Amino acid sequence: MNIMNKIKIATLFLLGTLSLGLASCSDDDDDLTPSNADINGFAPAASDNSQTAQIRNDFFKATGVYLLFNDTLVTTSTTGQPELFDANYSITSSPAVSTGLDDNDYKYVYITDVAQQQKAADTIKEYLVKKLGKQLPFSFFLVDDIYYPYTTWSGKVKKKHLPMLIAPRGYVISTQEGALYDDPETVVSSLLADLVTARVNKADAAITEKFYSYSKDYYDKDFSDLDLNVDDFDNDPTLIWNYGFFNYGDFYGGFFYKKDQDIEDWVKAVLSSDRATFAETYGSSAVMMSKYDTMKEIIHNMGFNI
């Protein structure tokens, strides 16, 4: 046996001895690895043969996205408590989607009927999944309703309903008590617009800089600050196009919208009209066409399939 082979054998023997020693030491020490580290909390338990589990598994196979109908996962936390899908810390916000980074006590009305679960899964798969493109979440949590209680100025407790929450580990989507089934195209279009708006509003400045540049001198400005007369805009509805807006506020002598409202308006315009259709109405305005093209490019670059 040559010297190199002897060295290799000695090295392997030493490594094996060390590994046995380490293993025996671990028997005496606390194991810091969670007992369910090899379990995916977002998938049904391996032993779950229910119809709901089958719906969830089929959805994952078709989309690559996990599907939930309950916010209690199959895994446990380090304290031994059931792990929850926590949507209270949403990563993006839109007034119609969520209230941002908040402590609202979100409540859900679960979809418990298997037939309704299948219907909800099929609707999301057919109408929303393809349009999300690269913006597909890690999971969808589908419910019949999302709301949180709040107290009015008079002390009365009411419910604020939301169509969607955007959380770090997925999207919580409400069927809005069945409205999703009655008119899926309209409801999903609204959900998509809210989602895109939230993403664009939270995008890095470099991404939206070009879009904002067209109207940067007007955002949140009163007409009076720019020596503009609201009557001129009232008499000529196309005049506002010169500034890159669809509309304006007519209180206090007129004012231009803020950036977030402008984003919302333009996202809806791009999602609802192709360029040729948009040009039929706004083609005479170079700034309107430029903002359309820029917003469409932003949405496309984000990975949405529109």
Side-chain angles (χ1 to χ4, degrees):
M1 182 181 293
N2 61 38
I3 187 67
M4 291 303 296
N5 285 336
K6 290 181 180 179
I7 292 174
K8 289 179 180 179
I9 292 173
T11 301
L12 290 172
F13 177 80
L14 177 61
L15 289 174
T17 302
L18 286 172
S19 65
L20 288 172
L22 290 172
S24 62
C25 289
S26 66
D27 291 338
D28 298 326
D29 297 330
D30 291 334
D31 185 4
L32 300 180
T33 303
S35 60
N36 54 244
D38 58 341
I39 300 174
N40 181 356
F42 286 78
S47 59
D48 188 350
N49 297 314
S50 66
Q51 289 179 284
T52 296
Q54 186 62 52
I55 293 170
R56 294 173 60 195
N57 285 327
D58 289 346
F59 188 90
F60 179 79
K61 289 177 183 177
T63 66
V65 180
Y66 293 102
L67 180 64
L68 303 173
F69 292 109
N70 193 296
D71 58 341
T72 302
L73 308 181
V74 299
T75 46
T76 55
S77 68
T78 54
T79 61
Q81 298 299 313
E83 188 179 5
L84 298 177
F85 180 100
D86 187 3
N88 281 30
Y89 191 81
S90 53
I91 56 176
T92 62
S93 66
S94 168
V97 177
S98 74
T99 54
L101 307 179
D102 56 49
D103 294 320
N104 287 327
D105 185 16
Y106 293 111
K107 306 290 186 182
Y108 310 115
V109 177
Y110 299 129
I111 306 173
T112 56
D113 180 76
V114 172
Q116 294 301 307
Q117 290 176 345
Q118 185 69 68
K119 196 172 184 179
D122 290 344
T123 302
I124 293 300
K125 182 168 61 177
E126 179 179 354
Y127 290 93
L128 182 60
V129 167
K130 289 183 179 180
K131 293 181 179 180
L132 290 179
K134 295 180 181 179
Q135 289 287 342
L136 275 174
F138 181 75
S139 68
F140 286 112
F141 173 24
L142 305 184
V143 297
D144 263 339
D145 191 20
I146 306 167
Y147 68 90
Y148 64 88
Y150 70 98
T151 305
T152 65
W153 62 271
S154 62
K156 186 176 181 179
V157 177
K158 292 188 175 183
K159 294 179 180 179
K160 171 66 175 178
H161 298 268
L162 297 170
M164 177 167 57
L165 289 172
I166 306 171
R169 298 192 290 181
Y171 302 156
V172 189
I173 296 180
S174 170
T175 70
Q176 300 171 52
E177 299 180 327
L180 177 66
Y181 312 136
D182 298 333
D183 189 359
E185 289 191 4
T186 299
V187 173
V188 170
S189 292
S190 179
L191 288 173
L192 183 63
D194 288 340
L195 177 57
V196 175
T197 297
R199 293 299 190 195
V200 176
N201 272 323
K202 289 293 184 179
D204 292 339
I207 294 174
T208 54
E209 181 180 11
K210 182 179 179 181
F211 175 83
Y212 288 139
S213 69
Y214 297 109
S215 305
K216 63 182 177 63
D217 294 329
Y218 312 114
Y219 286 121
D220 203 24
K221 294 283 186 66
D222 291 334
F223 284 1
S224 58
D225 294 337
L226 302 171
D227 293 326
L228 299 174
N229 191 325
V230 69
D231 292 336
D232 295 333
F233 291 84
D234 291 340
N235 294 328
D236 181 3
T238 68
L239 186 59
I240 192 66
W241 301 352
N242 296 334
Y243 303 87
F245 296 90
F246 292 98
N247 213 330
Y248 55 90
D250 55 4
F251 299 107
Y252 312 112
F255 60 89
F256 292 104
Y257 288 150
K258 296 181 179 180
K259 288 182 177 181
D260 57 353
Q261 179 63 58
D262 194 36
I263 290 291
E264 182 178 345
D265 290 344
W266 276 99
V267 166
K268 289 179 179 178
V270 170
L271 295 183
S272 62
S273 302
D274 59 31
R275 194 179 193 280
T277 302
F278 185 83
E280 290 177 4
T281 300
Y282 302 100
S284 62
S285 171
V287 67
M288 293 294 277
M289 295 307 301
S290 293
K291 289 188 76 170
Y292 178 95
D293 291 337
T294 303
M295 178 55 71
K296 187 164 187 175
E297 182 180 14
I298 290 173
I299 297 173
H300 176 76
N301 289 342
M302 284 185 166
F304 289 101
N305 185 19
I306 59 170

